[in-house]
Amino acid sequence: MDSVVGSSGGVAGDGAVSPPVAGRPRLGESAVERWARALIVLCALVLLAATLEIVIDAAVGHSPLIPKQPQIAGWLSGVGVRLGYRTFLIALLAFTGAYAVMLGLVGRISKRWAIVLIGALQLIVFVGPILISTDVFSYIAYARMGVEHAINPYTHGPIAIKHDAVYQYVGHDWKHVATAYGPLYTLLSYPLAPLGLKGAVWGMKLMALLASAGTLALTWRCAKIREIDPVAAVFAVGANPLWVIYGLGGAHNDLIMTLLMMAAVSFAFAGRDIPAGASVVAGALVKATAAALLPFMVLYRRGLGPILGALAALALGALIGYAVFGIHGIDVVAALNRDAAFVSTDSFPTELAHLVGKPGVFPIDHDLLKGALVLIVGYLMWRTWRGYDWVAASGWTLLAISVTSTWLLPWYTLWGLPLAVIARDRRLFAATLVIQGLFIAHQISPLLVPVA
Amino acid sequence: MSRGRLIETTLLILAGVLLAIATVNDVVEQTHVNHRLIADLHTWRVYTGHDYKNVSTEQDLYGHTTRDVVCGNTTPGPPKERIQLCLQMTGPVIDGRRAARGGWYLPPKSEDEPAARYGCFGSATPARYCGKDAASATENPEAGTSPETSPEAGQ
């Protein structure tokens, strides 16, 4: 059995340089080493226990946190109790605390233990029900509209198939809303439509799991190329509470977008500019936000490769999108504009509005936020032109998009996370964790009132 | 550390502090609201003597007051399927309760709109809160929503 505590720095087995680890070799290990090892084991157990608690309680059925859904994890349902805010928040906070401690000790965690732990966390979530969000049922509804009912999901909302089995599970606010996702994602979801509702849910969960695993594999590869500890990089992403509980738990397509973004970064690191540019556009054809990488990649490479790759992928995507969905299938800007007008209570602009005594954000605030975002992106482009790390600039942009968005959802804070862990500017990773920490802190008010 | 990087770091820290203050402010505010709403529900149950689960509360988001309206059925049944009694809650939370200063009734299957209200009592004067006159005088003086659409989840 592999040791939890890795070797004391130096070159790891796969050739990567791991950070030096304080302490002596294992034979003469100090009390500090033993305590560190015990703490790592304890934190790993907390991560597993918190995830199990959430999944087992979620399997009991519908609650304010668990959307109505077909019974896909019935075999787990006899163990827990219905998931309430208190249990969920305590588990989430315990998970977050253990993750933070383990991040501090990650240099002492061996490669095998890190992979086993991350794999276990992701598999536990995979076998459970859909957590927190109804989005996956919107994805399935759009797929079934196109495949089973010959209705264009870019021109109609799920209300158009209200007799379909999936309709009852679509979130109330999205029943009249046409899809905002790119044509590549919609086409990827089409093969799941004929599998029936449960089959489609499992298909979506599998896609999310594979996308997560692929993102982690590419993060590992990119970290090694940049001589960053790959274990630390992969742990920071794969054991992240928002990644595991919200991203993977909700089977969000944001994970497919991050996979394609990391493929783009990996290609760029390998000097393959054309596939790099094409991968960015492929990511944007899943979710438009991925396009944020392209200007920084182009500015850094200063060649035609990324542009040619992007144009080729865009032309192909537009052609297929237009052929299958018509003009609405390629009108990404309209969908972005529509979603940009939404307001969520968790968004930072809403919190700032409350801070200055306003009840919420107003139309003028949207314009100010867009202006701020343009300034930030402009500054980052100028910095990249002057030699700043383009990966970090892309990560800052994705973080700025989520912070300035009036419609912030937890999985939006995941967009830049894989970039942050491989960026040369470590401030990006710290800032990403701070934003995620503030998001989690914003959820805790139900814990602070007396039990009714 | 170069001067540019120092400025960037300072700005990042300031932005982080601002967001942290805003987050803490929101959590404190929300905690107070939750505390108040729990007291509202408790008060409605004590006042009516009905320990019903499905009792709804609405806040005065437009008026920025802490005056909440709590509505629930007067006899057992599904939510809003019976005659409903709505109470206006005001003042501080004392011993887990707030003061019910007035209220009105709603017919079955009705939303809390001035035109649907009847039997206004206490501080809920008929001219301001009940019936068609109140409906034309004001558009729902109590209940409010946030200034822009706030879909519940997703995408």
Side-chain angles (χ1 to χ4, degrees), chain A residues 155-203:
Chain A
T155 53
H156 296 82
I159 187 82
I161 56 162
K162 64 179 176 183
H163 301 299
D164 191 284
V166 73
Y167 178 74
Q168 61 179 309
Y169 302 116
V170 174
H172 176 73
D173 294 305
W174 305 108
K175 289 185 172 173
H176 294 268
V177 180
T179 181
Y181 307 116
L184 176 61
Y185 178 71
T186 307
L187 287 174
L188 276 175
S189 68
Y190 270 20
L192 304 181
L195 302 179
L197 189 49
K198 283 188 181 178
V201 174
W202 279 116

Coordinates of all heavy atoms in Angstrom, one line a residue, chain A residues 155-203:
Chain A
T155 N -35.7 27.7 -30.5 CA -36.8 28.6 -30.7 C -38.0 28.4 -29.7 O -38.9 29.2 -29.6 CB -37.4 28.4 -32.1 OG1 -37.7 27.1 -32.4 CG2 -36.4 28.9 -33.2
H156 N -37.9 27.2 -29.0 CA -39.0 26.9 -28.0 C -38.4 26.5 -26.7 O -37.3 26.0 -26.6 CB -39.9 25.8 -28.6 CG -40.6 26.1 -29.8 ND1 -40.0 26.0 -31.1 CD2 -41.9 26.5 -30.0 CE1 -40.9 26.4 -32.0 NE2 -42.0 26.7 -31.4
G157 N -39.2 26.8 -25.6 CA -38.8 26.3 -24.3 C -39.4 24.9 -24.1 O -40.2 24.4 -24.9
P158 N -39.0 24.3 -23.0 CA -39.6 22.9 -22.7 C -41.1 22.9 -22.6 O -41.7 21.8 -22.7 CB -38.9 22.6 -21.4 CG -37.6 23.4 -21.4 CD -38.0 24.6 -22.0
I159 N -41.7 24.0 -22.4 CA -43.2 24.0 -22.4 C -43.8 23.4 -23.6 O -44.9 22.9 -23.6 CB -43.7 25.5 -22.2 CG1 -45.2 25.6 -22.0 CG2 -43.3 26.4 -23.4 CD1 -45.6 25.3 -20.6
A160 N -43.0 23.4 -24.7 CA -43.5 22.9 -26.0 C -43.7 21.4 -25.9 O -44.3 20.8 -26.8 CB -42.5 23.2 -27.1
I161 N -43.1 20.7 -24.9 CA -43.2 19.3 -24.7 C -43.8 19.0 -23.4 O -43.3 18.1 -22.7 CB -41.9 18.5 -25.0 CG1 -40.8 19.0 -24.1 CG2 -41.5 18.6 -26.4 CD1 -39.6 18.1 -23.9
K162 N -44.8 19.7 -23.0 CA -45.3 19.5 -21.6 C -45.9 18.2 -21.3 O -46.1 17.8 -20.2 CB -46.2 20.7 -21.2 CG -47.5 20.8 -21.9 CD -48.2 22.0 -21.3 CE -49.5 22.2 -22.0 NZ -50.2 23.4 -21.5
H163 N -46.1 17.4 -22.4 CA -46.7 16.0 -22.1 C -45.5 15.0 -22.0 O -45.8 13.8 -21.7 CB -47.6 15.6 -23.2 CG -48.8 16.6 -23.3 ND1 -49.7 16.7 -22.2 CD2 -49.2 17.4 -24.3 CE1 -50.6 17.6 -22.6 NE2 -50.3 18.1 -23.8
D164 N -44.3 15.5 -22.2 CA -43.1 14.6 -22.1 C -42.8 14.3 -20.6 O -43.0 15.2 -19.8 CB -41.9 15.2 -22.8 CG -40.8 14.2 -23.0 OD1 -40.1 14.0 -22.0 OD2 -40.6 13.8 -24.1
A165 N -42.3 13.1 -20.4 CA -42.0 12.8 -19.0 C -41.0 13.7 -18.3 O -41.0 13.9 -17.1 CB -41.4 11.3 -18.9
V166 N -40.1 14.3 -19.1 CA -39.1 15.2 -18.4 C -39.6 16.5 -18.0 O -39.0 17.2 -17.1 CB -37.9 15.3 -19.4 CG1 -38.2 16.3 -20.6 CG2 -36.6 15.8 -18.7
Y167 N -40.7 16.9 -18.6 CA -41.2 18.3 -18.4 C -41.4 18.6 -16.9 O -41.1 19.7 -16.4 CB -42.5 18.5 -19.2 CG -43.1 19.9 -19.0 CD1 -42.5 21.0 -19.5 CD2 -44.2 20.1 -18.1 CE1 -43.0 22.3 -19.3 CE2 -44.7 21.4 -17.9 CZ -44.1 22.4 -18.5 OH -44.6 23.7 -18.3
Q168 N -42.0 17.7 -16.2 CA -42.3 17.9 -14.8 C -41.0 18.2 -13.9 O -41.1 18.8 -12.8 CB -43.0 16.7 -14.2 CG -42.2 15.5 -14.2 CD -42.9 14.3 -13.6 OE1 -43.5 14.4 -12.5 NE2 -43.0 13.2 -14.3
Y169 N -39.9 17.8 -14.4 CA -38.6 18.0 -13.7 C -37.9 19.3 -14.0 O -36.9 19.6 -13.4 CB -37.7 16.8 -13.9 CG -38.4 15.5 -13.5 CD1 -38.6 14.5 -14.4 CD2 -38.8 15.3 -12.1 CE1 -39.2 13.3 -14.0 CE2 -39.4 14.1 -11.8 CZ -39.6 13.1 -12.7 OH -40.2 11.9 -12.4
V170 N -38.3 19.9 -15.1 CA -37.6 21.1 -15.6 C -37.9 22.3 -14.6 O -39.0 22.4 -14.1 CB -38.1 21.6 -17.0 CG1 -37.5 22.9 -17.4 CG2 -37.7 20.5 -18.0
G171 N -36.9 23.1 -14.2 CA -37.1 24.2 -13.3 C -38.2 25.1 -13.7 O -38.3 25.4 -14.9
H172 N -39.0 25.6 -12.8 CA -40.1 26.4 -13.1 C -39.8 27.6 -14.0 O -40.5 27.9 -14.9 CB -40.7 26.9 -11.8 CG -41.9 27.9 -12.0 ND1 -43.1 27.4 -12.4 CD2 -42.0 29.2 -11.8 CE1 -43.9 28.5 -12.5 NE2 -43.2 29.6 -12.2
D173 N -38.6 28.2 -13.7 CA -38.3 29.5 -14.4 C -37.8 29.2 -15.8 O -37.5 30.2 -16.6 CB -37.3 30.3 -13.6 CG -37.8 30.8 -12.3 OD1 -38.9 31.4 -12.4 OD2 -37.3 30.4 -11.2
W174 N -37.5 28.0 -16.1 CA -36.9 27.7 -17.4 C -37.9 27.0 -18.4 O -37.5 26.6 -19.5 CB -35.7 26.8 -17.2 CG -34.7 27.4 -16.3 CD1 -34.4 27.0 -15.0 CD2 -33.9 28.6 -16.5 NE1 -33.5 27.9 -14.4 CE2 -33.2 28.9 -15.3 CE3 -33.8 29.5 -17.6 CZ2 -32.4 30.0 -15.2 CZ3 -32.9 30.6 -17.5 CH2 -32.2 30.8 -16.3
K175 N -39.1 26.9 -18.0 CA -40.0 26.1 -18.8 C -40.4 26.8 -20.1 O -40.7 26.2 -21.1 CB -41.3 25.8 -18.0 CG -41.1 24.8 -16.9 CD -42.3 24.4 -16.2 CE -41.9 23.2 -15.3 NZ -42.9 22.8 -14.4
H176 N -40.3 28.1 -20.1 CA -40.6 28.9 -21.4 C -39.3 29.3 -22.1 O -39.4 30.1 -23.1 CB -41.4 30.1 -21.0 CG -42.8 29.7 -20.5 ND1 -43.9 29.6 -21.3 CD2 -43.2 29.5 -19.2 CE1 -44.9 29.3 -20.6 NE2 -44.5 29.2 -19.3
V177 N -38.2 28.9 -21.6 CA -36.9 29.5 -22.1 C -36.2 28.5 -23.1 O -36.0 27.4 -22.7 CB -35.9 29.8 -20.9 CG1 -34.6 30.4 -21.4 CG2 -36.6 30.7 -19.9
A178 N -35.9 29.0 -24.2 CA -35.2 28.2 -25.2 C -33.7 28.1 -24.7 O -33.2 28.8 -23.9 CB -35.2 28.9 -26.6
T179 N -33.1 27.1 -25.3 CA -31.7 26.8 -24.8 C -30.7 27.9 -25.1 O -30.8 28.6 -26.1 CB -31.2 25.5 -25.4 OG1 -29.9 25.2 -24.9 CG2 -31.1 25.5 -26.9
A180 N -29.8 28.1 -24.1 CA -28.8 29.1 -24.2 C -27.5 28.5 -24.5 O -26.4 29.2 -24.6 CB -28.7 29.9 -22.9
Y181 N -27.4 27.1 -24.7 CA -26.2 26.4 -24.8 C -25.8 26.4 -26.3 O -26.7 26.5 -27.2 CB -26.3 25.0 -24.2 CG -26.7 25.1 -22.8 CD1 -27.9 24.5 -22.4 CD2 -26.0 25.7 -21.9 CE1 -28.4 24.6 -21.1 CE2 -26.4 25.8 -20.5 CZ -27.6 25.2 -20.2 OH -28.1 25.3 -18.9
G182 N -24.5 26.1 -26.6 CA -24.0 26.1 -27.9 C -24.5 24.9 -28.7 O -24.9 23.9 -28.1
P183 N -24.5 24.9 -30.0 CA -25.0 23.8 -30.8 C -24.2 22.5 -30.6 O -24.7 21.5 -30.7 CB -24.9 24.3 -32.3 CG -24.0 25.5 -32.2 CD -24.1 26.1 -30.8
L184 N -22.9 22.7 -30.3 CA -22.1 21.5 -30.1 C -22.6 20.7 -28.9 O -22.8 19.5 -29.0 CB -20.6 21.8 -29.9 CG -19.7 20.6 -29.6 CD1 -19.7 19.6 -30.7 CD2 -18.3 21.1 -29.3
Y185 N -22.9 21.4 -27.8 CA -23.5 20.7 -26.6 C -24.8 20.1 -26.9 O -25.1 19.0 -26.6 CB -23.6 21.7 -25.4 CG -24.2 20.9 -24.3 CD1 -23.4 19.9 -23.6 CD2 -25.5 21.1 -23.9 CE1 -24.0 19.2 -22.6 CE2 -26.0 20.4 -22.9 CZ -25.3 19.4 -22.3 OH -25.8 18.6 -21.3
T186 N -25.7 20.9 -27.6 CA -27.0 20.3 -27.9 C -26.9 19.1 -28.8 O -27.6 18.1 -28.5 CB -27.8 21.4 -28.7 OG1 -27.8 22.6 -27.9 CG2 -29.3 21.0 -28.8
L187 N -26.0 19.1 -29.7 CA -25.8 17.8 -30.5 C -25.2 16.7 -29.7 O -25.6 15.5 -29.9 CB -24.9 18.2 -31.8 CG -25.6 19.0 -32.8 CD1 -24.6 19.4 -33.9 CD2 -26.8 18.2 -33.5
L188 N -24.3 17.0 -28.8 CA -23.7 16.0 -27.9 C -24.8 15.3 -27.1 O -24.7 14.2 -26.7 CB -22.7 16.6 -27.0 CG -21.3 16.8 -27.5 CD1 -20.4 17.5 -26.5 CD2 -20.6 15.4 -27.8
S189 N -25.8 16.1 -26.7 CA -26.9 15.6 -25.8 C -27.9 14.8 -26.6 O -28.7 14.0 -26.0 CB -27.6 16.8 -25.1 OG -28.3 17.6 -26.0
Y190 N -28.0 15.0 -27.9 CA -29.0 14.3 -28.7 C -29.0 12.8 -28.6 O -30.1 12.2 -28.5 CB -28.9 14.7 -30.2 CG -29.8 16.0 -30.5 CD1 -30.2 16.8 -29.5 CD2 -30.1 16.3 -31.8 CE1 -30.9 17.9 -29.8 CE2 -30.9 17.4 -32.1 CZ -31.3 18.2 -31.1 OH -32.1 19.3 -31.4
P191 N -27.8 12.1 -28.6 CA -27.9 10.6 -28.5 C -28.5 10.1 -27.2 O -28.8 9.0 -27.1 CB -26.4 10.3 -28.6 CG -25.7 11.4 -29.2 CD -26.5 12.6 -28.8
L192 N -28.6 11.0 -26.2 CA -29.1 10.5 -24.9 C -30.6 10.6 -24.9 O -31.3 9.9 -24.1 CB -28.6 11.4 -23.8 CG -27.1 11.5 -23.6 CD1 -26.7 12.4 -22.4 CD2 -26.5 10.2 -23.4
A193 N -31.2 11.3 -25.8 CA -32.7 11.5 -25.8 C -33.4 10.2 -25.9 O -34.4 10.0 -25.2 CB -33.1 12.5 -26.9
P194 N -33.0 9.3 -26.8 CA -33.8 8.0 -27.0 C -33.6 7.0 -25.8 O -34.3 6.0 -25.8 CB -33.3 7.4 -28.3 CG -32.4 8.5 -28.9 CD -32.0 9.3 -27.8
L195 N -32.8 7.3 -24.9 CA -32.5 6.4 -23.8 C -33.6 6.4 -22.7 O -33.4 5.6 -21.7 CB -31.1 6.7 -23.2 CG -29.9 6.7 -24.1 CD1 -28.6 7.0 -23.3 CD2 -29.8 5.3 -24.8
G196 N -34.6 7.2 -22.9 CA -35.6 7.3 -21.8 C -35.1 8.2 -20.7 O -33.9 8.6 -20.8
L197 N -36.0 8.6 -19.8 CA -35.6 9.6 -18.9 C -34.4 9.2 -17.9 O -33.4 9.9 -17.8 CB -36.8 10.0 -18.0 CG -36.7 11.2 -17.1 CD1 -36.1 12.4 -17.9 CD2 -38.0 11.6 -16.6
K198 N -34.6 8.0 -17.4 CA -33.5 7.6 -16.4 C -32.2 7.3 -17.2 O -31.1 7.7 -16.7 CB -33.9 6.3 -15.7 CG -34.9 6.5 -14.6 CD -35.1 5.2 -13.9 CE -36.1 5.4 -12.7 NZ -36.4 4.2 -12.0
G199 N -32.3 6.8 -18.4 CA -31.1 6.5 -19.2 C -30.4 7.8 -19.6 O -29.2 7.9 -19.5
A200 N -31.3 8.9 -19.9 CA -30.7 10.2 -20.2 C -30.0 10.8 -19.0 O -28.9 11.4 -19.1 CB -31.8 11.1 -20.7
V201 N -30.6 10.7 -17.8 CA -30.0 11.2 -16.6 C -28.7 10.6 -16.4 O -27.6 11.2 -16.1 CB -30.9 11.1 -15.4 CG1 -30.2 11.5 -14.1 CG2 -32.2 11.9 -15.6
W202 N -28.6 9.2 -16.5 CA -27.4 8.5 -16.3 C -26.4 8.9 -17.3 O -25.2 9.1 -17.1 CB -27.6 7.0 -16.3 CG -28.0 6.5 -15.0 CD1 -29.3 5.9 -14.7 CD2 -27.3 6.5 -13.7 NE1 -29.3 5.6 -13.3 CE2 -28.2 6.0 -12.7 CE3 -26.1 7.0 -13.3 CZ2 -27.8 5.9 -11.4 CZ3 -25.7 6.9 -12.0 CH2 -26.6 6.4 -11.0
G203 N -26.8 9.1 -18.6 CA -26.0 9.5 -19.6 C -25.3 10.9 -19.3 O -24.1 11.1 -19.5

